[in-house]
Amino acid sequence: MTRDLRVVPADGDVLPALRDALAGGPALFVDAGGASGLPATVEQRVALVVETSGSTGKPKRVALSADAVLASAAASESALGGPGQWVLALPTHYIAGLNVLTRSIAAGFDPAVVEGDHFTPDRFADAVRRLEQPRTFTALVPAQLATLLDDREGTNALRDLTGVLLGGQAAPARLLDQARDAGVQVTRTYGSSETSGGCVYDGVPIGTTSVRIDDGEVWLGGPTLAEGYLGDPELTAERFVVADGAHWFRTADSGTWDGERLRVTGRRDDVIISGGLKVSLGEIERAVRDDAYPDALVVAAPDDRWGHVPVIVTADLGTAELDPDLSKFGRAARHTRVLHVAQMPLLPSGKPDRAALTRLAAE
C-alpha cells in the first residue's frame, strides 16, 4: 500500500502538514527549494521524508515512519523531565527543526518561531518572550549558541529557558564552558536524520535506544530508526543492517561505548594517509578547538609530495598566528597547513559546509 507525498515549502504551513502526516494523512517532504525527482507516492509506513547531506555533501532522502518520529519525541520528553513549549530556531526542512515541531505536537503547545530570514539574538529573544508555559526549551547548533552567548539579550533569553538541546556537530569545550558559566542549561545531543534526530543525550542513550561498537564504528538501534533511503535500496542495505536479531543503523562515526556512555571520536572516513602514515583529522580538530580556536575545522587537501595533508581552517585567527602543538599526533601531522577565511561557509542548517571548505583548501 502507498500514500501520497505532499511537498510543502519550508516557509509554508509545515506544522499542520506534519500533524496531518503523523495522523495518517499524506506523507510530508519539506522543500527548501529545488526539490526534484520526488515520487508522487511513498510506502504506507513512510510519514516523513527528510533530505540530508550528511558529512559528504551528497544529498540523501531519509524515509521515516510516524512511529519512529513520535518515539523520538517521547524519548526526548522523558529525558528532559516532561513536556514543555519550544522555540523553533532551526529550519524545518532538517530533522532537528522537524523534531521541535513534533515535540510541540506531542506536548500540545504551539512553538514560538524565531522570525526572519536570518538568526539574530533579538529575534530569538522575541520568540522566548512569546512563550507561555512554565517549562520551555529550544534546539540549536553550536554557531547559534555562540552567537547568543556573545550577546547580552541573547544570553538572558537562554537563561530564561528550562533547557537547550545542542546538536548538529561536536560542540567545542570552550563553548560549553561559556554556557555553563552563563547559567545556561545545555544538553548535547547525538543522532542523525536516520535515527529521527538526537537519540543520545550527553553520551547517554534516551528512550530504548541501543548502542554497539562494531569494528570501531558506532551502531545505533531502537524504535527511532528510519525505514531507509527513499529510492536507494543499495545504500539502505549498506547502512541499515540486522545483527543479533536486531535492526541497526551504521553511523560511519567512530567511538567507544562502556555500556553506559557513548563517546564519539570522529568520522571513520576522516583518516587520511599523509606521507604513508595515518592522520585523524577529527583528533587534530578537537585538539585545536580545545587549545584556542573553538571555530576551527580540519579538512584534507591533496599534496604532490605527501599525498594529502591536514588543513586547519579558521575564521577566528585575526592577526595572531595559529601554531598548534601537534607533536602528539606523530610526524605525519607536521605538514599541517593553516587556512584563514573571512567567514566560515555554512549549510542552511547552520552546520559548517565542509565540502566548500575542502574545495577552498584544495585551491
Side-chain angles (χ1 to χ4, degrees):
M1 295 180 63
T2 62
R3 65 201 293 191
D4 291 341
L5 178 61
R6 176 191 297 172
V7 178
V8 175
D11 59 356
D13 292 330
V14 176
L15 182 60
L18 177 61
R19 184 181 286 111
D20 195 19
L22 296 178
L28 173 64
F29 178 85
V30 180
D31 181 20
S36 62
L38 285 167
T41 62
V42 293
E43 294 183 6
Q44 181 64 38
R45 277 190 56 79
V46 176
L48 189 60
V49 177
V50 182
E51 190 165 83
T52 173
S53 62
S55 62
T56 64
K58 181 181 179 180
K60 301 183 291 288
R61 287 168 176 168
V62 181
L64 293 157
S65 69
D67 289 345
V69 176
L70 291 171
S72 174
S76 177
E77 182 177 291
S78 178
L80 295 173
Q85 190 176 16
W86 288 78
V87 170
L88 175 64
L90 295 168
T92 55
H93 59 283
Y94 285 99
I95 190 62
L98 287 165
N99 270 339
V100 168
L101 296 184
T102 304
R103 296 178 194 123
S104 299
I105 292 171
F109 307 130
D110 285 344
V113 180
V114 178
E115 304 291 350
D117 295 333
H118 301 287
F119 180 84
T120 62
D122 59 319
R123 290 171 177 170
F124 179 82
D126 178 67
V128 171
R129 284 190 291 268
R130 285 186 268 117
L131 294 170
E132 300 173 343
Q133 301 301 316
R135 289 173 50 78
T136 55
F137 302 93
T138 194
L140 304 171
V141 295
Q144 291 174 314
L145 179 61
T147 296
L148 294 173
L149 289 173
D150 287 340
D151 179 87
R152 179 182 298 178
E153 187 176 16
T155 301
N156 289 336
L158 288 170
R159 288 196 190 103
D160 288 339
L161 297 172
T162 306
V164 176
L165 296 185
L166 186 67
Q169 66 188 93
R174 282 173 170 248
L175 180 63
L176 297 174
D177 290 342
Q178 184 182 0
R180 184 187 62 248
D181 293 344
V184 178
Q185 182 62 48
V186 172
T187 298
R188 293 172 295 116
T189 72
Y190 171 70
S192 63
S193 299
E194 292 88 346
T195 62
S196 300
C199 57
V200 177
Y201 285 7
D202 287 333
V204 179
I206 65 173
T208 55
T209 298
S210 302
V211 176
R212 69 182 285 173
I213 305 296
D214 189 278
D215 191 27
E217 181 181 27
V218 178
W219 289 16
L220 299 173
T224 66
L225 292 193
E227 301 294 297
Y229 297 105
L230 194 67
D232 197 337
E234 292 185 359
L235 184 59
T236 298
E238 176 188 333
R239 300 292 294 277
F240 293 88
V241 299
V242 176
D244 299 329
H247 290 268
W248 300 91
F249 170 63
R250 300 177 55 192
T251 67
D253 289 327
S254 58
T256 60
W257 168 247
D258 62 9
E260 294 183 358
R261 193 171 294 273
L262 172 67
R263 179 175 178 267
V264 179
T265 55
R267 296 289 296 178
R268 285 168 61 85
D269 56 5
D270 78 354
V271 176
I272 65 172
I273 305 298
S274 184
L277 299 176
K278 291 183 178 180
V279 181
S280 172
L281 303 180
E283 290 184 2
I284 293 177
E285 183 173 288
R286 283 190 295 277
V288 175
R289 285 183 165 201
D290 290 344
D291 183 21
Y293 299 91
D295 85 316
L297 297 170
V298 179
V299 297
D303 184 89
D304 291 339
R305 180 175 182 181
W306 306 109
H308 284 86
V309 295
V311 178
I312 300 171
V313 186
T314 179
D316 191 31
L317 191 55
T319 57
E321 291 192 8
L322 176 57
D323 186 22
D325 180 10
L326 303 178
S327 59
K328 65 179 179 180
F329 299 110
R331 57 190 177 87
R334 73 177 61 172
H335 312 299
T336 299
R337 301 169 184 165
V338 177
L339 172 64
H340 175 59
V341 295
Q343 186 174 4
M344 284 286 188
L346 300 176
L347 296 168
S349 64
K351 297 181 183 179
D353 189 340
R354 289 183 182 269
L357 290 176
T358 300
R359 290 193 295 270
L360 288 173
E363 295 170 0

Coordinates of all heavy atoms in Angstrom, one line a residue, residues 87-89 112-130 148 151 153-154 157:
V87 N 10.9 26.8 21.4 CA 11.3 27.9 20.5 C 11.8 27.2 19.2 O 12.8 26.4 19.3 CB 12.3 28.8 21.1 CG1 12.8 29.8 20.0 CG2 11.7 29.6 22.2
L88 N 11.3 27.5 18.1 CA 11.8 26.9 16.8 C 12.8 27.9 16.2 O 12.4 29.0 15.8 CB 10.6 26.7 15.8 CG 11.0 26.2 14.4 CD1 11.7 24.9 14.5 CD2 9.8 26.2 13.5
A89 N 14.0 27.5 16.3 CA 15.1 28.3 15.8 C 15.9 27.7 14.6 O 16.9 28.3 14.1 CB 16.1 28.7 16.9
A112 N 7.0 28.8 19.6 CA 7.3 30.1 19.3 C 8.4 30.2 18.2 O 9.5 29.6 18.5 CB 7.7 30.9 20.5
V113 N 8.1 30.7 17.1 CA 9.0 30.7 15.9 C 9.9 31.9 15.9 O 9.4 33.0 16.1 CB 8.2 30.6 14.6 CG1 9.2 30.5 13.4 CG2 7.3 29.3 14.7
V114 N 11.2 31.7 15.7 CA 12.1 32.8 15.5 C 11.9 33.3 14.1 O 12.1 32.7 13.1 CB 13.6 32.3 15.6 CG1 14.5 33.5 15.4 CG2 13.8 31.8 17.1
E115 N 11.4 34.6 14.0 CA 11.0 35.1 12.7 C 12.2 35.7 12.0 O 13.3 35.9 12.5 CB 10.0 36.3 13.0 CG 8.8 35.9 13.8 CD 7.9 35.0 13.1 OE1 8.1 34.8 11.9 OE2 6.9 34.5 13.7
G116 N 12.0 35.9 10.7 CA 13.0 36.5 9.8 C 13.9 35.5 9.1 O 13.9 34.3 9.4
D117 N 14.6 35.9 8.1 CA 15.4 35.1 7.3 C 16.7 34.7 7.9 O 17.4 33.7 7.6 CB 15.7 35.7 5.9 CG 14.4 35.9 5.1 OD1 13.5 35.1 5.3 OD2 14.3 36.8 4.3
H118 N 17.2 35.6 8.9 CA 18.5 35.4 9.5 C 18.3 35.3 11.0 O 17.6 36.0 11.6 CB 19.4 36.5 9.1 CG 19.7 36.7 7.7 ND1 20.4 35.8 6.9 CD2 19.2 37.6 6.8 CE1 20.4 36.1 5.6 NE2 19.7 37.2 5.5
F119 N 19.1 34.4 11.6 CA 19.0 34.2 13.0 C 19.8 35.3 13.7 O 21.0 35.5 13.4 CB 19.6 32.8 13.4 CG 19.7 32.5 14.8 CD1 18.5 32.0 15.5 CD2 20.8 32.8 15.6 CE1 18.6 31.7 16.8 CE2 20.8 32.5 17.0 CZ 19.7 31.9 17.6
T120 N 19.1 36.0 14.6 CA 19.8 37.1 15.4 C 19.3 37.0 16.9 O 18.3 36.4 17.2 CB 19.4 38.5 14.9 OG1 18.0 38.6 15.0 CG2 19.8 38.6 13.4
P121 N 20.2 37.4 17.8 CA 19.8 37.4 19.2 C 18.5 38.1 19.5 O 17.7 37.6 20.4 CB 21.0 38.1 19.9 CG 22.2 37.8 19.0 CD 21.6 37.9 17.6
D122 N 18.2 39.2 18.9 CA 17.0 39.9 19.3 C 15.8 39.2 18.8 O 14.7 39.2 19.5 CB 17.0 41.4 18.7 CG 17.2 41.4 17.2 OD1 18.0 40.6 16.7 OD2 16.5 42.2 16.6
R123 N 15.9 38.5 17.6 CA 14.7 37.8 17.1 C 14.5 36.5 18.0 O 13.4 36.1 18.3 CB 15.0 37.4 15.7 CG 14.9 38.5 14.7 CD 15.3 38.1 13.3 NE 15.1 39.3 12.4 CZ 15.6 39.3 11.1 NH1 16.3 38.2 10.7 NH2 15.4 40.3 10.4
F124 N 15.6 35.9 18.4 CA 15.5 34.8 19.3 C 14.9 35.2 20.7 O 14.0 34.5 21.2 CB 16.9 34.1 19.6 CG 16.8 33.0 20.5 CD1 16.5 31.7 20.0 CD2 17.1 33.1 21.9 CE1 16.5 30.6 20.9 CE2 17.1 32.0 22.7 CZ 16.8 30.8 22.2
A125 N 15.3 36.3 21.2 CA 14.8 36.8 22.5 C 13.3 37.1 22.4 O 12.5 36.9 23.3 CB 15.6 38.0 22.9
D126 N 12.9 37.7 21.2 CA 11.5 38.0 21.0 C 10.6 36.7 21.0 O 9.5 36.7 21.6 CB 11.3 38.7 19.7 CG 9.8 39.0 19.3 OD1 9.2 39.8 20.0 OD2 9.3 38.4 18.4
A127 N 11.2 35.6 20.4 CA 10.4 34.3 20.4 C 10.3 33.8 21.9 O 9.3 33.3 22.3 CB 11.1 33.3 19.5
V128 N 11.4 33.9 22.6 CA 11.4 33.5 24.0 C 10.3 34.2 24.8 O 9.6 33.6 25.6 CB 12.8 33.6 24.7 CG1 12.7 33.3 26.2 CG2 13.8 32.6 24.0
R129 N 10.2 35.5 24.6 CA 9.2 36.3 25.3 C 7.8 35.9 25.0 O 6.8 36.1 25.8 CB 9.4 37.8 25.0 CG 10.6 38.4 25.7 CD 10.6 39.9 25.5 NE 10.9 40.3 24.2 CZ 12.1 40.6 23.7 NH1 13.1 40.5 24.5 NH2 12.3 41.0 22.5
R130 N 7.6 35.2 23.8 CA 6.2 34.8 23.4 C 5.8 33.5 24.0 O 4.7 33.0 23.8 CB 6.1 34.8 21.9 CG 6.0 36.2 21.3 CD 5.8 36.1 19.8 NE 7.0 36.1 19.0 CZ 7.5 35.1 18.3 NH1 6.8 34.0 18.1 NH2 8.6 35.2 17.6
L148 N 24.4 33.7 20.5 CA 23.6 34.2 21.6 C 24.4 34.5 22.8 O 24.1 35.5 23.5 CB 22.5 33.1 21.9 CG 21.5 32.9 20.8 CD1 20.6 31.7 21.2 CD2 20.6 34.1 20.6
D151 N 26.0 37.9 23.1 CA 25.1 39.0 23.1 C 24.4 39.0 24.5 O 23.9 37.9 24.9 CB 24.1 38.9 22.0 CG 23.1 40.0 21.9 OD1 23.4 41.0 21.3 OD2 22.0 39.8 22.5
E153 N 21.4 40.3 25.4 CA 20.0 39.9 25.3 C 19.8 38.5 24.9 O 18.9 37.8 25.5 CB 19.3 40.8 24.2 CG 17.8 40.6 24.1 CD 17.1 41.5 23.1 OE1 17.8 42.0 22.3 OE2 15.9 41.6 23.2
G154 N 20.7 37.9 24.1 CA 20.6 36.5 23.7 C 20.9 35.6 24.9 O 20.3 34.6 25.1
A157 N 18.0 35.6 27.3 CA 16.9 34.7 26.7 C 17.2 33.3 27.0 O 16.3 32.5 27.3 CB 16.7 35.0 25.3

